[in-house]
Amino acid sequence: MEGPTREVQQFLKDNGVELRKSEIKKLREVFQNAQASWLFTGIPESVIKKAESIVGAERVQQFLKQIQ
């Protein structure tokens, strides 16, 4: 799992969002049940709140801007 974590970390860093490997691993647990419907409906607020509790609201907002 180290390789993909490093790749995600580099992608985010290249796009202005810096996360530690431990944060990425915790976020992976939050987003493991992501659904394709989120592309149309958006990420549920409860999932965003969980992510914010891990990395903070500012970094979550930075990340969300990158994927829009």
Side-chain angles (χ1 to χ4, degrees):
M1 201 62 88
E2 193 65 30
T5 299
R6 199 173 10 240
E7 290 173 6
V8 169
Q9 187 178 35
Q10 187 61 50
F11 170 79
L12 292 170
K13 185 176 181 180
D14 290 346
N15 289 284
V17 181
E18 295 208 30
L19 296 177
R20 294 184 300 268
K21 290 177 186 176
S22 60
E23 292 170 325
I24 293 169
K25 289 177 183 177
K26 288 178 184 176
L27 287 173
R28 219 180 238 131
E29 293 173 14
V30 172
F31 287 100
Q32 72 182 352
N33 294 319
Q35 299 176 16
S37 64
W38 294 2
L39 294 171
F40 306 103
T41 63
I43 300 170
E45 190 65 29
S46 62
V47 174
I48 291 173
K49 292 294 182 195
K50 287 179 188 176
E52 289 176 346
S53 73
I54 295 169
V55 300
E58 184 177 330
R59 290 195 286 169
V60 169
Q61 292 308 313
Q62 289 175 331
F63 171 73
L64 292 175
K65 286 180 185 176
Q66 294 301 318
I67 63 170
Q68 290 181 350

